[in-house]
Amino acid sequence: MTTQPDHGHELIPRPERTPAAVRIALARIAPHRLGEMEQHKEQALGAALQDGKIGHLQYWLTYWQAQVEIERRPDLRSRYQAALVSVHNTESKDDPAFHAAMAELRAVETEARQAVSP
């Protein structure tokens, strides 16, 4: 595991880019999401076997690395949770608050992906 001290307090060090390391990290900071991770892995594996492309597994690993990044960094996690609350408190997808919250969710996910990209 490595650390990146440039963005403040982290709950755990950033895991290495391996399925096992990402799973261990998720188990430490968000164990309630392990079932979701496993289901997503099975879908990615099935798609990879069906069309013979490893890209499905690479996407899966990148997605879960980013999810761990969000969970391990309180700054990202609080922004993500606040945006989710905003999304759920809007009455329709036409609500400007819905669009703003969705934009914030995408921004957090993009920042997390960029932080873990090789």
Side-chain angles (χ1 to χ4, degrees), residues 46-58:
L49 290 170
Q50 184 175 5
D51 67 14
K53 295 182 181 175
I54 195 167
H56 298 285
L57 297 170
Q58 292 168 327

Side-chain angles (χ1 to χ4, degrees), residues 63-81:
Y63 175 84
W64 284 99
Q65 267 194 295
Q67 293 303 301
V68 166
E69 188 70 9
I70 292 167
E71 294 286 349
R72 77 182 196 87
R73 286 182 44 192
D75 62 318
L76 290 181
R77 189 172 184 340
S78 65
R79 286 175 52 203
Y80 195 81
Q81 291 300 321

Side-chain angles (χ1 to χ4, degrees), residues 19-64:
V22 172
R23 186 181 191 294
I24 289 167
L26 189 66
R28 288 182 60 198
I29 56 173
H32 62 281
R33 298 199 61 198
L34 287 171
E36 179 187 356
M37 180 188 194
E38 188 63 28
Q39 182 179 10
H40 190 202
K41 180 179 79 175
E42 291 301 319
Q43 291 168 345
L45 184 56
L49 290 170
Q50 184 175 5
D51 67 14
K53 295 182 181 175
I54 195 167
H56 298 285
L57 297 170
Q58 292 168 327
Y59 173 83
W60 171 82
L61 182 57
T62 299
Y63 175 84
W64 284 99

Side-chain angles (χ1 to χ4, degrees), residues 90-96 98-99:
T90 57
E91 294 187 19
S92 77
K93 292 181 180 178
D94 297 326
D95 186 333
F98 176 84
H99 293 286

